[in-house]
Amino acid sequence: MSNVDILSNWENLVKKQLKSEDIYSVLKKENLEGIDVKPFYYSVKKPLVNLPKIEESTHLVARYHESLEEDVFAFILDQNVENLEQKTIFVNNIDLAGHISPKEEDQYFSLIDVFNEKEATIDDQLVKELLAKEFKRNICIDISFHQNAGAAIYQQLGIALAKTKELFEVYGPEILNKLIFRIAVGGNYFFEIAKLRAFKMVFNQLSKEYNLDEIPYIFAETSLRNKAVSDNENNLIRSTLELASAMIGGADAVFTNNYLVDKSTDNSEEISFKQQIVLAYESIINVFEDASNGSYYIEDITRQIAEKSWVLFVEIEENGGYLELLKQGMIQKKIYDHAVEEQKWVEEGKIKLIGVNLYPKLEVKKSVNELYNEKEIKAVRWAEMFE
């Protein structure tokens, strides 16, 4: 059966079910990313090659707690802990990074962003100190910050490329395989899978501009943007889906932010980590390389996101680069415009947040103008409008 016949059969079936000839207007689903989503896929223009990751098996990362020391192999550290041998450590504190001297068998990664977003500068002294360390990956580019501030997916990736280019121009091509990208994964399940895959594509494309063939090291964490103070169990479900997106999308490490907003208990930290354990050991999705490869839908949106991200990156470069546009307030304005539109969708119920704007529907307590500032990139949760 030809593709035309497959499409025709599907259309006739849906017309019958919907009792309408105008099925595409009924099935059309809007999104703020500008991605064209079809209701039915039966082919892809050009199949994508397998998109590898750096780690053979995704690191399951927990916030350090003494009780987890025997069972957990990868920790995120905010303070010094002695005698953590044969562990993978993600350092999340500037002072701590300065005091660490890894042994040859140790695996240390820096999660400290070397960009000062408010001053629009790179902390050169910090970069040099981190590069002098025997870390597996020394320099972090943090775009989780931008996701939590409301940046569109293509904006997040375009900014990641632009920040990479800024570092490349100062420290040379050898910086590329020293980078680790900290990325927040949101609740748009398939789009977030495509986001990580698209980033692998555009990062590799950027490296090829300099006759290299690099892939990015991705540290993915659950988003804070779609979490709410009420109905904590809903947060738990959301972050589980986000972890699944990260693993299927090919993250090298995953971390679950606490599902309790603005507070943390030993029990909630343990449950947050166990979300990863269940996914990894019962679904085994952390060991596959590019598990979603071959899905027409994901392949199509991956390519669209990659193309839009690259266009934005080129636009940023043609206008002076990331730091220059940050000084001018242009980056802040781009993120602000998208974040505000997204917040309006939440207010109108186009983006559904269970327990906030649906089941039950809470009253709006803060306006968009109270939440956002076009001159500042800052994290805002959707639910803050109702809390």
Side-chain angles (χ1 to χ4, degrees), residues 80 120 217 234 305 309 325:
N80 191 36
Y217 192 107
N234 291 342
I305 290 171
S309 303
L325 292 189

Side-chain angles (χ1 to χ4, degrees), residues 28-265:
K28 185 178 179 181
K29 188 173 176 63
E30 289 183 285
N31 64 81
L32 288 169
E33 299 287 341
I35 300 298
D36 179 30
V37 178
K38 302 173 186 175
F40 180 70
Y41 290 81
Y42 54 88
S43 66
V44 65
K45 287 181 182 178
K46 183 181 178 183
L48 299 179
V49 297
N50 204 49
L51 298 169
K53 56 186 181 183
I54 291 172
E55 297 288 357
E56 184 176 344
S57 182
T58 304
H59 285 303
L60 310 178
V61 185
R63 193 173 299 281
Y64 177 79
H65 192 279
E66 189 177 352
S67 64
L68 298 174
E69 208 167 302
E70 285 188 20
D71 300 318
V72 176
F73 301 103
F75 287 111
I76 185 169
L77 283 190
D78 295 296
Q79 58 189 20
N80 191 36
V81 178
E82 298 291 340
N83 302 317
L84 274 181
E85 297 178 354
Q86 296 183 329
K87 303 288 187 184
T88 298
I89 305 298
F90 294 87
V91 180
N92 200 34
N93 179 284
I94 293 177
D95 295 332
L96 178 59
H99 291 98
I100 290 176
S101 298
K103 298 173 185 175
E104 190 174 337
E105 65 273 17
D106 292 337
Q107 287 200 86
Y108 278 81
F109 297 79
S110 171
L111 289 181
I112 301 156
D113 194 358
V114 297
F115 284 80
N116 185 323
E117 300 282 338
K118 289 188 176 179
E119 295 182 9
T121 59
I122 296 171
D123 190 333
D124 180 62
Q125 183 62 33
L126 178 60
V127 172
K128 288 174 179 174
E129 287 176 6
L130 289 171
L131 287 174
K133 298 285 181 182
E134 293 297 319
F135 284 9
K136 295 294 182 182
R137 295 271 165 164
N138 311 65
I139 307 300
C140 176
I141 291 180
D142 185 357
I143 56 167
S144 67
F145 173 58
H146 302 82
Q147 192 275 342
N148 284 302
I153 286 174
Y154 75 91
Q155 289 175 337
Q156 296 166 46
L157 303 191
I159 286 169
L161 293 179
K163 292 177 84 170
T164 301
K165 182 80 182 309
E166 295 279 0
L167 289 171
F168 183 97
E169 289 177 348
V170 178
Y171 303 101
E174 61 273 10
I175 197 79
L176 290 187
N177 62 14
K178 299 181 184 297
L179 298 177
I180 177 170
F181 291 88
R182 187 172 190 167
I183 298 177
V185 177
N188 196 337
Y189 186 73
F190 293 109
F191 274 42
E192 294 292 336
I193 293 172
K195 176 170 84 175
L196 298 192
R197 299 180 77 246
F199 186 55
K200 291 171 187 270
M201 291 173 61
V202 292
F203 182 85
N204 183 252
Q205 184 177 341
L206 177 61
S207 77
K208 285 179 176 175
E209 298 283 326
Y210 303 102
N211 299 315
L212 299 169
D213 190 21
E214 299 288 340
I215 54 175
Y217 192 107
I218 297 175
F219 177 98
E221 61 184 52
T222 55
S223 174
L224 302 174
R225 186 152 172 80
N226 60 349
K227 306 304 184 292
V229 170
S230 60
D231 294 338
N232 295 316
E233 294 80 5
N234 291 342
N235 292 339
L236 198 58
I237 295 166
R238 292 180 187 115
S239 54
T240 301
L241 290 169
E242 290 160 8
L243 287 170
S245 290
M247 291 184 187
I248 294 170
D252 296 289
V254 293
F255 173 70
T256 320
N257 281 302
N258 201 297
Y259 65 93
L260 299 180
V261 174
D262 295 334
K263 59 183 176 179
S264 172
T265 66

Side-chain angles (χ1 to χ4, degrees), residues 284-319:
I284 328 177
I285 57 176
N286 65 316
V287 299
F288 291 104
E289 188 171 270
D290 202 8
S292 60
N293 188 296
S295 162
Y296 295 151
Y297 171 46
I298 294 177
E299 295 258 313
D300 187 64
I301 59 176
T302 295
R303 185 174 296 283
Q304 288 186 65
I305 290 171
E307 289 171 355
K308 285 176 69 69
S309 303
W310 189 262
V311 168
L312 177 61
F313 164 60
V314 171
E315 179 189 322
I316 291 172
E317 290 308 301
E318 288 177 346
N319 286 280

Side-chain angles (χ1 to χ4, degrees), residues 249-283:
D252 296 289
V254 293
F255 173 70
T256 320
N257 281 302
N258 201 297
Y259 65 93
L260 299 180
V261 174
D262 295 334
K263 59 183 176 179
S264 172
T265 66
D266 288 348
N267 186 52
S268 66
E269 287 288 352
E270 182 180 348
I271 291 172
S272 294
F273 180 67
K274 283 181 176 177
Q275 292 173 268
Q276 301 173 29
I277 296 294
V278 171
L279 286 170
Y281 288 92
E282 295 189 13
S283 298

